[in-house]
Amino acid sequence: MKIGFVGLGNMGSAMARNLLKAGHAVTVYNRTRARAEEFASIAASPAEAAAGEVVITMLADDHAVDDAAQELVKALQPGAIHVSMSTISPALSERMQQAHTQAGQGYIAAPVLGRPEAAAAAKLFILAAGPADALAACRPLFDALGQRTFILGENPPAANVVKLSCNFLLAAAIESLAEAFAWTRKAGIDPQVYLELLTSTLFTAPVYKTYGRLIAEEAYTPAGFKMPLGLKDVRLALAAAESSNVPLPMASLIHDHMVGALALGFENLDWSALGRIAALRAGLAPL
Amino acid sequence: MKIGFVGLGNMGSAMARNLLKAGHAVTVYNRTRARAEEFASIAASPAEAAAGEVVITMLADDHAVDDAAQELVKALQPGAIHVSMSTISPALSERMQQAHTQAGQGYIAAPVLGRPEAAAAAKLFILAAGPADALAACRPLFDALGQRTFILGENPPAANVVKLSCNFLLAAAIESLAEAFAWTRKAGIDPQVYLELLTSTLFTAPVYKTYGRLIAEEAYTPAGFKMPLGLKDVRLALAAAESSNVPLPMASLIHDHMVGALALGFENLDWSALGRIAALRAGLAPL
Amino acid sequence: MKIGFVGLGNMGSAMARNLLKAGHAVTVYNRTRARAEEFASIAASPAEAAAGEVVITMLADDHAVDDAAQELVKALQPGAIHVSMSTISPALSERMQQAHTQAGQGYIAAPVLGRPEAAAAAKLFILAAGPADALAACRPLFDALGQRTFILGENPPAANVVKLSCNFLLAAAIESLAEAFAWTRKAGIDPQVYLELLTSTLFTAPVYKTYGRLIAEEAYTPAGFKMPLGLKDVRLALAAAESSNVPLPMASLIHDHMVGALALGFENLDWSALGRIAALRAGLAPL
Amino acid sequence: MKIGFVGLGNMGSAMARNLLKAGHAVTVYNRTRARAEEFASIAASPAEAAAGEVVITMLADDHAVDDAAQELVKALQPGAIHVSMSTISPALSERMQQAHTQAGQGYIAAPVLGRPEAAAAAKLFILAAGPADALAACRPLFDALGQRTFILGENPPAANVVKLSCNFLLAAAIESLAEAFAWTRKAGIDPQVYLELLTSTLFTAPVYKTYGRLIAEEAYTPAGFKMPLGLKDVRLALAAAESSNVPLPMASLIHDHMVGALALGFENLDWSALGRIAALRAGLAPL
């Protein structure tokens, strides 16, 4: 297929490469051109990348996606599809859906689960929602990018809700570990013993292993996912849930702790530095 | 070894059987005698069960353990060991440690992770703390009861802290799932699809599979672990952490939701009925 | 002075009348013209109301103020002053300050404390911030509108922060009363006796008398200040505090309870219906 | 009347003096005898103080009251009345009620609102519950001690619930001020200006003036009411509410902040040092 790809961050670059490998014709666009130069076909604007059957956006936040989408709505051919894969608000997803539909274009929300390494290995999980025919048309792309695609119905914003809910669940697991490590450490338990105990008994999922280790070792830098990005996602979760009149008390709690982390200057630490916040709250010095 | 076993609930009966199978001489005591009658050697009181080298207590709560321990301190031979395997407060554990030490007796805290099926299969995880020689002496018993024993140092109450922290982490995972299911369900996501998505991607640990299914299906009865027992453990966690000056904000949040569950008459539902509380908060009718 | 007045809700109408009474020349604008007809000089647009030395805006929310301000920036004479008296976000206040300053115009934030009756009686409290000369120029207007003006420095958004913080403190007093009434009522205390006790001993401020009575009698309708407006202000408080990296855990708690109130269909009840939410959480039937 | 008075702390001494002034025959008991020596009639034990028609207890906590009560139940004449005026748990109040009733004695719970200065000036507020005849008999004593007595029904523990609920409301007002001052201070508002504004507009009650000033000036020492005492009362409130299946989310929040205050070594600061906790959370240095 002839595809435009907008947004070549760590995730986007790896994904665009996999689409090329799978034999698709990919034209890329990135605001900072240097990151685009490994690719053969480079567009000078999102609009220029929108000449094919599909354009994929994989950008940092609502603001960047909104900017790009306003160009795409003008540039896409009737019947062409915008596949929005960024982690964004369901509200923006809904506005894009309306704009593309009005313009006779297709729109799919297909955010992903997985870190850059999973993107590179084409092992992402893809959370897709949109009209059945558009989803069918994009199936080969999803297969080139991920290990499994979950179809979440015809309403694109629902996929964005699911993605945000997954990040909320990750944040909740991190916060619970943060509190448990602070408590047990103050009660005299060796953090490494505790980590081994948790992750070889009840909490065997990778999320507990990964974040448990970071908290046990207070290894908050270099950051895999920085605190302000974590806060952004929790904020999006709270706003999206609020728009459905759903309170998320755990997300509020985590939100407040993350805001407190920024107050202490943790903006370059990994979001698992909620562990340091919990330790400080308990009067513990850094390890 | 010659062992007394006090407390033949679902967990205790299975454990006592495994000790017999391993060739130990086990004398049992249970307040309700009927549950003891499958065993050959039945004591008429905890004191009578305390004639051997080791006595194990596996009872419902602090109150029951405290009552039994007061008899055991009087009855145990010098050098004999009380192995306390119930889920109790670190504060009681510390009082028992002092009483037994003063009486020239040994004391180990060795609470367990695992449900009755794991107890029956001798697949428990044992969280043991106490003097090294006493732990060494009890090693064959632990091997007969569980698949792995974690040694958590020489201070028995530390093992009780770790056990309570594990139950806190379970409760936190349940509450986070409760909120995530309420939100996504209200946003139109099918709970079964969402469950499959979560547990085949980021949240593969058994705890998410087990409790995710109960919440997805609102299958809160029959209860595997009733709400008041969950509340009791969260209350013990909060009190124990408070005694170390450690706030546990997530535990407080869960505590309040569990109290609210009892206010609505959920005392016979599984503690995963936090899922129904979250659904009610979101204005959702039962499935 | 020659004044434009934009926004003739319950508050704005009363305020515009007081300015007339004090001898100022007032041209009014309201989107719904009917509410303007009691006044002699009616503008057809915010821009048309901006012909004098000062234009005052008193509108429902950020959206309405932002729309009006975009016209005012184009229409105001150099040196003329926009006095923004609505309850809005500090972020919007800052954007307006920049826009007016760039256009050579003055900008003051001067939100108020007080209900429509206080506005009618010229008994408002005015929370004003902005350049000292502009504040001095507007002093006669403030004297015509309120009983006292607090000067909060030269930075207009600071006044908006203070206004939101006052509404947060009101919401916190309401929520604390909500929980205290639910608890004491369930413990068998007559709500009227409890109200009398509280408000004649420690809690003599009008806020406790007003909201205590509403909660004691569950008199949530007709609403003096509807739940969605309360939620809007708490949301603005959380966002403004977050932009300064300040967590407000009590505001988060109240936010979640208000979202839950909307989930139960309380959108037309007074914000003191937090009292009913607390009662429901405690398993109490309505009075 | 012939009265025993047990407990001569700052409150109790002042109260015993007022009973003497009113013409009653008062025999006092205090664990530390030195505090008793200003009085003419000194008992050597609570039992010895229990020879008259009424014995009043005014002690530090449940533990001290429980110890004294066990003596009083044995020593009081049939028909004599124990008036329990300490701030204690409703649960202990209920146990004392049962014990005294079984012994044919009377029991009233009559905790008070007011600091030592109010006690000295006989300006306490008295929150009394118990059998109507016993209340009538004690009326002259209440009149000698306080400015007003509120009758809260025939069930003594209800008065203890009301007292704890008042302390909860105080703590909630303090915490809300703590958050509001941290936020506005970080936004550049002068704390003294903010204090003046709050307490001369919406929040005129003494509680806002007293605690607002302490927080505005960070004047947390010498403590009027130390943090651990505040925490004790919040803990009693949570436990009492839980026993009625009433969640108190604001009390949980405050509880956690107080535990965090102790973790930072604030045990000798006034409970309004919640203000410093909020400031630290916001990344603010001490004033």
Side-chain angles (χ1 to χ4, degrees), chain A residues 183 186, chain B residues 234-248 252, chain D residues 227-228 230-236 238 252 255-256 258-260 262-263:
Chain A
W183 175 23
K186 202 161 179 193
Chain B
V234 172
R235 199 191 303 120
L236 288 178
L238 282 165
E242 184 182 327
S243 76
S244 302
N245 289 340
V246 178
L248 292 182
S252 286
Chain D
M227 190 64 80
L231 175 55
K232 187 202 67 163
D233 284 1
V234 173
R235 199 192 302 121
L236 288 178
L238 282 165
S252 286
H255 170 273
D256 293 341
M258 286 177 159
V259 171
L262 297 187

Side-chain angles (χ1 to χ4, degrees), chain A residues 242 244-248 252, chain B residues 281, chain C residues 167-168 170-175 211 225-236 238 250-267 269-275 277-278 281:
Chain A
E242 184 182 328
S244 302
N245 288 341
V246 178
L248 293 181
S252 286
Chain B
R281 243 184 350 245
Chain C
N167 284 16
F168 156 63
L170 286 176
I174 293 171
E175 170 67 20
Y211 292 113
F225 190 63
K226 285 189 184 175
M227 190 64 79
L229 296 177
L231 175 55
K232 187 202 68 165
D233 284 0
V234 173
R235 199 191 302 120
L236 288 178
L238 282 165
M250 260 195 178
S252 286
L253 188 78
I254 295 163
H255 170 272
D256 293 341
H257 293 175
M258 287 177 158
V259 171
L262 298 186
L264 298 188
F266 288 12
E267 65 271 10
L269 301 191
D270 190 71
W271 66 334
S272 56
L274 285 170
I277 293 293
R281 244 186 347 245

Side-chain angles (χ1 to χ4, degrees), chain A residues 168 241 244-251, chain B residues 174-183 186 218 253-261 264 266 273-285, chain C residues 253 255-265 277 280-281, chain D residues 247 249:
Chain A
F168 156 63
S244 302
N245 288 341
V246 178
L248 293 181
M250 260 196 177
Chain B
I174 292 171
E175 170 67 20
S176 67
L177 286 169
E179 299 187 10
F181 270 93
W183 175 22
K186 202 161 179 191
E218 295 210 335
L253 188 78
I254 295 163
H255 170 272
D256 293 342
H257 293 176
M258 286 177 159
V259 171
L264 298 187
F266 289 11
L274 286 170
R276 186 165 291 166
I277 293 293
L280 287 169
R281 243 184 350 245
L284 287 165
Chain C
L253 188 78
H255 170 272
D256 293 341
H257 293 175
M258 287 177 158
V259 171
L262 298 186
L264 298 188
I277 293 293
L280 287 169
R281 244 186 347 245

Side-chain angles (χ1 to χ4, degrees), chain B:
Chain B
M1 291 171 82
K2 203 177 156 198
I3 304 167
F5 201 104
V6 175
L8 297 172
N10 292 336
M11 296 292 290
S13 304
M15 292 161 74
R17 274 180 227 124
N18 281 328
L19 291 170
L20 277 171
K21 261 189 241 169
H24 298 286
V26 181
T27 298
V28 301
Y29 169 77
N30 197 57
R31 210 175 39 172
T32 312
R33 194 187 156 94
R35 299 207 56 140
E37 287 183 349
E38 63 168 295
F39 294 91
S41 173
I42 307 179
S45 68
E48 209 181 296
E53 306 151 67
V54 167
V55 67
I56 295 174
T57 49
M58 190 65 189
L59 294 156
D61 56 23
D62 271 39
H63 189 71
V65 173
D66 197 6
D67 281 357
Q70 293 188 17
E71 288 197 42
L72 297 180
V73 167
K74 289 176 199 149
L76 279 172
Q77 298 296 318
I81 303 169
H82 175 194
V83 181
S84 162
M85 303 191 79
S86 321
T87 298
I88 56 166
S89 69
L92 173 58
S93 197
E94 193 169 347
R95 287 201 305 278
M96 293 196 290
Q97 175 189 21
Q98 288 168 352
H100 285 300
T101 303
Q102 241 172 335
Q105 300 152 355
Y107 175 72
I108 287 174
V112 301
L113 299 178
R115 293 174 158 247
E117 312 85 72
K123 292 282 189 200
L124 296 171
F125 294 104
I126 296 173
L127 317 178
D133 54 349
L135 288 172
C138 294
R139 194 71 202 212
L141 307 184
F142 298 153
D143 291 345
L145 293 169
Q147 61 178 293
R148 183 165 171 189
T149 298
F150 295 88
I151 302 298
L152 296 164
E154 302 234 326
N155 182 36
N160 303 100
V161 165
V162 168
K163 166 63 182 172
L164 291 176
S165 82
C166 288
N167 283 16
F168 157 63
L169 286 169
L170 286 176
I174 292 171
E175 170 67 20
S176 67
L177 286 169
E179 299 187 10
F181 270 93
W183 175 22
T184 53
R185 192 181 136 202
K186 202 161 179 191
I189 306 297
D190 182 285
Q192 289 297 340
V193 172
Y194 188 60
L195 174 64
E196 163 70 9
L197 184 157
L198 291 181
T199 56
S200 56
T201 60
L202 298 174
F203 302 97
T204 53
V207 44
Y208 287 93
K209 289 185 179 162
T210 304
Y211 292 112
R213 190 185 65 74
L214 296 178
I215 293 171
E217 302 176 0
E218 295 210 335
Y220 303 130
T221 172
F225 190 63
K226 285 191 182 174
M227 190 64 79
L229 296 177
L231 175 55
K232 187 202 68 164
D233 284 0
V234 172
R235 199 191 303 120
L236 288 178
L238 282 165
E242 184 182 327
S243 76
S244 302
N245 289 340
V246 178
L248 292 182
M250 260 195 178
S252 286
L253 188 78
I254 295 163
H255 170 272
D256 293 342
H257 293 176
M258 286 177 159
V259 171
L262 297 187
L264 298 187
F266 289 11
E267 65 271 9
N268 287 315
L269 301 192
D270 190 71
W271 67 333
S272 56
L274 286 170
R276 186 165 291 166
I277 293 293
L280 287 169
R281 243 184 350 245
L284 287 165
L287 277 178

Side-chain angles (χ1 to χ4, degrees), chain D residues 103-223:
Chain D
Q105 301 152 356
Y107 175 73
I108 288 175
V112 301
L113 298 178
R115 293 174 157 247
E117 311 86 71
K123 292 282 189 201
L124 294 171
F125 295 104
I126 296 172
L127 318 179
D133 54 349
L135 288 171
C138 294
R139 194 72 201 212
L141 308 184
F142 298 152
D143 291 346
L145 294 170
Q147 62 177 293
R148 183 166 172 189
T149 299
F150 295 88
I151 302 297
L152 297 164
E154 303 235 326
N155 182 35
N160 303 99
V161 165
V162 169
K163 166 63 182 174
L164 291 176
S165 82
C166 288
N167 283 17
F168 157 63
L169 286 169
L170 286 177
I174 292 172
E175 171 67 20
S176 67
L177 286 169
E179 298 187 12
F181 270 93
W183 174 24
T184 53
R185 192 180 136 204
K186 202 160 179 193
I189 306 297
D190 182 284
Q192 289 297 340
V193 172
Y194 187 60
L195 174 64
E196 165 69 12
L197 184 156
L198 290 181
T199 57
S200 56
T201 59
L202 299 174
F203 301 97
T204 54
V207 45
Y208 288 92
K209 290 185 179 161
T210 303
Y211 291 113
R213 190 185 64 73
L214 296 178
I215 293 171
E217 302 176 0
E218 295 209 336
Y220 303 130
T221 170

